[in-house]
Amino acid sequence: MASSCGGGEGATVESREELSNGMNLMDFSDEILLHILRYIPVSDLVLSIRRVSRKLAALSLDKSLTHLVNLHKDYQVDKDKVKQLMREIGKEIHELNMAGCYWLPGSTVDQVTHCKSLVRLNLSGCPLTSLRLSKMLSALPRLRSLAIDVNPGFDASHLSSECKATLSRVLELKQTLYTRSYGVVPCCTSLEKLLLHFEILDRSCFILSGQLMVGESNVPHYQNLRVFYARLAPGLVNQEVVRLYLAVLSDRTPEKLHAFLISAPGGFAESCTVKNLLDSMARSVTLDALQLPRS
């Protein structure tokens, strides 16, 4: 009986050891570990986790983890971490989301130039000047999707020929406008999707340097456009500026347009521009989605 009990106790100890060994994270398959690592911020993954072991070093640099880098409102990431991250894996990044990283200085945002393979870039909320944007986009020839803010003082004449060449290949553009401007739209000659957020303050209508003319935007640039979306903040100035965009579309409505959406609080005053555009769309395009403010 004693022998039997001893054997049972030994088996229990052995089972516990096997169970303990089975819980070792490093014994999991690469597929499972990669799935787990996807929940860790890339900055921690590259700058900390990969230094734990050789296996984690290799897995942390797997393309499935480094192709998409999301720093969106990652308040734990400071300027030094971002600079080091760009130096470590910049060439591997295909999609970079820095939206809402308002605390990062412009010199840190400049580090995006290390990401030569970027296809999608979101810089909404980041500090950008015309010259900084020009330098950055000049180094990103593969870019196809861009999101930026257009602030007072933006001057498209500061954009270099290399920058404009990059913009000419962009297919999707999101612009948040804080001033009366076309931003980079006239340079985006291949646009298929245009998303506009109008956040212009009423007092900006007195800034003459921000005035727009329809002639600033080249009509043929819109002919590949499939989706047009505009979201307006309250204020008559936002309605005035969006009509300048619509005037260009009404002059020659893109035949490939299939979604046209305008979101505005309250009403949207009637105008000849809007009426002409709607008449043109009724004649020349077949829409899958249409949304207009109450008017």
Side-chain angles (χ1 to χ4, degrees), residues 97-159:
N97 184 357
M98 297 179 67
C101 296
Y102 59 85
W103 64 91
L104 293 176
S107 58
T108 303
V109 179
D110 285 344
Q111 300 300 309
V112 171
T113 55
H114 290 287
C115 308
K116 304 295 185 181
S117 299
L118 266 186
V119 177
R120 300 178 63 88
L121 175 62
N122 190 334
L123 295 174
S124 299
C126 294
L128 283 177
T129 63
S130 309
L131 291 174
R132 174 161 282 124
L133 181 66
S134 179
K135 178 183 176 182
M136 190 182 305
L137 297 187
S138 296
L140 307 176
R142 300 184 183 181
L143 196 67
R144 296 298 179 269
S145 177
L146 175 66
I148 58 171
D149 293 347
V150 178
N151 293 296
F154 181 89
D155 188 347
S157 67
H158 292 162
L159 303 180

Side-chain angles (χ1 to χ4, degrees), residues 5 14 41 56 123 127 134 136-137 140 142 162 193 234 237 245 256:
C5 290
E14 184 178 350
L56 286 177
L123 295 174
S134 179
M136 190 182 305
L137 297 187
L140 307 176
R142 300 184 183 181
E162 293 83 1
K193 189 174 184 179
V237 65
Y245 283 81
K256 298 179 181 179

Side-chain angles (χ1 to χ4, degrees), residues 9-291:
E9 185 176 339
T12 301
V13 172
E14 184 178 350
S15 298
R16 287 175 181 170
E17 290 178 353
E18 290 178 355
L19 180 61
S20 176
N21 292 337
M23 295 297 289
N24 189 333
L25 186 64
M26 293 299 98
D27 289 339
F28 290 167
S29 68
D30 290 354
E31 290 77 9
I32 293 177
L33 287 174
L34 284 172
H35 182 76
I36 295 172
L37 293 176
R38 287 191 183 99
Y39 293 93
I40 299 176
V42 175
S43 56
D44 292 332
L45 201 62
V46 174
L47 304 181
S48 300
I49 300 297
R50 79 182 184 98
R51 308 190 190 283
V52 172
S53 68
R54 291 182 179 180
K55 184 169 185 177
L56 286 177
L59 291 176
S60 296
L61 296 180
D62 188 86
K63 292 181 179 180
S64 65
L65 301 177
T66 58
H67 276 193
L68 171 59
V69 173
N70 187 5
L71 302 180
H72 173 57
K73 294 184 178 179
D74 186 353
Y75 301 108
Q76 301 299 317
V77 178
D78 59 24
K79 60 180 182 180
D80 294 328
K81 282 187 176 181
V82 172
K83 289 180 179 179
Q84 188 177 353
L85 183 67
M86 297 304 178
R87 287 195 297 266
E88 296 267 359
I89 64 166
K91 294 180 180 179
E92 304 297 327
I93 302 174
H94 287 187
E95 299 184 33
L96 177 61
N97 184 357
M98 297 179 67
C101 296
Y102 59 85
W103 64 91
L104 293 176
S107 58
T108 303
V109 179
D110 285 344
Q111 300 300 309
V112 171
T113 55
H114 290 287
C115 308
K116 304 295 185 181
S117 299
L118 266 186
V119 177
R120 300 178 63 88
L121 175 62
N122 190 334
L123 295 174
S124 299
C126 294
L128 283 177
T129 63
S130 309
L131 291 174
R132 174 161 282 124
L133 181 66
S134 179
K135 178 183 176 182
M136 190 182 305
L137 297 187
S138 296
L140 307 176
R142 300 184 183 181
L143 196 67
R144 296 298 179 269
S145 177
L146 175 66
I148 58 171
D149 293 347
V150 178
N151 293 296
F154 181 89
D155 188 347
S157 67
H158 292 162
L159 303 180
S160 68
S161 57
E162 293 83 1
C163 171
K164 292 179 180 178
T166 295
L167 288 169
S168 70
R169 294 184 287 269
V170 167
L171 303 179
E172 177 180 328
L173 174 67
K174 176 188 173 186
Q175 283 191 158
T176 301
L177 296 156
Y178 294 100
T179 185
R180 297 162 64 97
S181 173
Y182 280 117
V184 299
V185 172
C187 302
C188 301
T189 57
S190 302
L191 270 187
E192 295 180 358
K193 189 174 184 179
L194 178 58
L195 311 174
L196 300 169
H197 292 183
F198 294 85
E199 301 283 347
I200 309 168
L201 297 177
D202 277 336
R203 65 173 179 268
S204 68
C205 63
F206 298 107
I207 302 176
L208 296 179
S209 61
Q211 296 294 325
L212 282 172
M213 295 180 62
V214 174
E216 293 178 11
S217 184
N218 196 338
V219 176
H221 292 182
Y222 294 93
Q223 286 313 297
N224 292 321
L225 198 64
R226 299 176 58 82
V227 176
F228 178 89
Y229 171 79
R231 188 189 72 187
L232 283 65
L236 290 177
V237 65
N238 290 299
Q239 294 193 21
E240 292 172 1
V241 176
V242 78
R243 286 195 190 96
L244 292 174
Y245 283 81
L246 298 181
V248 178
L249 294 179
S250 65
D251 187 58
R252 184 181 174 189
T253 305
E255 296 181 357
K256 298 179 181 179
L257 193 66
H258 72 83
F260 181 84
L261 305 100
I262 298 180
S263 175
F268 188 73
E270 292 283 357
S271 70
C272 293
T273 297
V274 176
K275 184 179 183 301
N276 291 339
L277 176 58
L278 293 176
D279 289 343
S280 177
M281 287 193 297
R283 291 191 304 269
S284 58
V285 301
T286 302
L287 294 176
D288 297 322
L290 174 65
Q291 175 182 310

